[in-house]
Amino acid sequence: MSDASEAPAVEADGLSKSFDGQLAVDQLHLAVAPGEVFGLVGPDGAGKTTVLRMLSGALPPTAGTAKVLGFDVAAEAHRVHRAIGYLPQRFSLYQELTVEENLRFRARVYDLAGRALGDRLESLLNLTQLGRFRHRLAGALSGGMKQKLALAAALLPAPNVLLLDEPTTGVDPASRGDFWETLLGLAEKGTTVLAATAYMDEAERCRRVGLLYQGRLLVCGSPDEVRRQAGLSLLLVSCQPLLHGRSILQEALGVRWVEVFGDRLHVALGLGGTAEAVQESLERAGGRVTRLQPIEPTLEDVFFEFVRSRRETET
Ligand SMILES: Nc1ncnc2c1ncn2[C@@H]1O[C@H](COP(=O)(O)OP(=O)(O)OP(=O)(O)O)[C@@H](O)[C@H]1O
Ligand SMILES: [Mg+2]
């Protein structure tokens, strides 16, 4: 459990990275407490991987500083490297080695051997429920199992900080759920987890989330805090025909934006917008409204709103 008086496990101060003069990460300030689960979300190219790579000590920052477990990521990169667990965005283990061979091979980096290694392997195979598959080639594992193997490899040094780069992308929902249960269990025992994710249900499970957009952190807080901060007034609307309804509402006064979610619309009200006015606009245009009710915004709605506001201030 974390405590406000404890030093952060991960701390970034003005952390920046540019590639060929282009800023990929722009003055990131962040403090993640020991045992906290922090979710980093943001569209493709937002800078998530670049942040995680800098925090892992693998990529030197262009400006600013960051400390992980008290070690400076630039000056003490090798110490950071050995102290943390890092799960990269792309599967980085050997497809032609078995589960167990992969773990044994990776363990050499950490000078783990003998009894200590044997015990660690058993506990990691147990934790990730890969024991039954220990002799299976990594290349023959399902996507979800591959990611569990990658997690086991990241946990070999018994790290106090885990950096995970979209660890469950392409994994089915049940396995994603399993994976997150494991992460939350680790956090409960004190491991700090910083995970980039594209899934809003996963972001929802984090103690805090940060939205990265074009290298900048647009908002950061608990899921409820960022929801409040967005101040969205949102309606759930079912109407026929759906896409016609969307076009009508996109042009309607008092409507800020409209997004399709399955067979429904999420309609964000703008200044002066009301549910009655939305219903009237749809009906006037020949739409048949079967449902119209205020709802709590999802994190997806909230992030959409923050990105949209940012774009508006840019234009
Ligand atoms: N080694 C590199 N050389 C040049 N540009 C890079 C390099 N790595 C990343 N970039 C650029 O930096 C920006 C941020 O990339 P990054 O991979 O960090 O984004 P991301 O949020 O992880 O995206 P994704 O969701 O697609 O994984 C992008 O514009 C990318 O093209
Ligand atoms: Mg990435």
Side-chain angles (χ1 to χ4, degrees), residues 17-25 50 59 62:
K17 181 75 194 177
S18 46
F19 295 109
D20 314 317
Q22 284 277 93
L23 269 172
V25 175
T50 306
L59 187 71
T62 315

Side-chain angles (χ1 to χ4, degrees), residues 45 47-50 89 165-166 196:
K48 304 178 294 295
T49 297
T50 306
Q89 189 163 6
D165 198 352
E166 303 201 31

Side-chain angles (χ1 to χ4, degrees), residues 143-300:
M145 288 197 285
K146 270 190 187 153
Q147 292 309 87
K148 285 180 179 172
L149 173 57
L151 177 64
L155 289 171
L156 273 169
N160 288 325
V161 168
L162 252 183
L163 304 177
L164 309 165
D165 198 352
E166 303 201 31
T168 59
T169 294
V171 172
D172 73 83
S175 305
R176 290 203 290 115
D178 270 5
F179 193 96
W180 273 78
E181 285 305 315
T182 308
L183 290 185
L184 297 178
L186 289 165
E188 220 154 70
K189 293 191 190 121
T191 309
T192 307
V193 176
L194 205 166
T197 179
Y199 296 107
M200 293 302 137
D201 58 326
E202 296 185 348
E204 203 70 70
R205 301 183 81 157
C206 296
R207 169 105 59 84
R208 282 191 306 146
V209 290
L211 170 64
L212 205 61
Y213 177 69
Q214 295 181 344
R216 295 212 190 152
L217 203 58
L218 294 191
V219 60
C220 182
S222 72
D224 282 338
E225 280 164 4
V226 299
R227 240 190 290 278
R228 271 198 300 278
Q229 237 179 297
L232 270 178
S233 173
L234 203 72
L235 298 174
L236 179 74
V237 176
S238 297
C239 72
Q240 295 288 334
L242 191 74
L243 296 183
H244 176 59
R246 179 180 65 174
S247 337
I248 297 301
L249 293 181
Q250 275 169 339
E251 303 303 322
L253 283 176
V255 170
R256 184 158 162 71
W257 51 257
V258 187
E259 280 287 292
V260 177
F261 281 83
D263 59 354
R264 295 142 184 202
L265 302 174
H266 283 195
V267 181
L269 296 178
L271 219 57
T274 64
E276 292 72 30
V278 164
Q279 174 140 11
E280 220 180 281
S281 310
L282 287 169
E283 288 175 348
R284 210 177 324 116
R288 196 167 65 84
V289 179
T290 52
R291 191 170 174 196
L292 191 147
Q293 68 190 80
I295 51 163
E296 270 288 296
T298 63
L299 276 182
E300 190 156 351

Side-chain angles (χ1 to χ4, degrees), residues 89-107:
Q89 189 163 6
R90 279 182 204 84
F91 189 71
S92 65
L93 296 167
Y94 294 99
Q95 311 266 2
E96 66 282 10
L97 294 187
T98 66
V99 166
E100 188 174 331
E101 285 165 350
N102 263 300
L103 293 176
R104 286 187 178 277
F105 187 73
R106 178 60 67 89

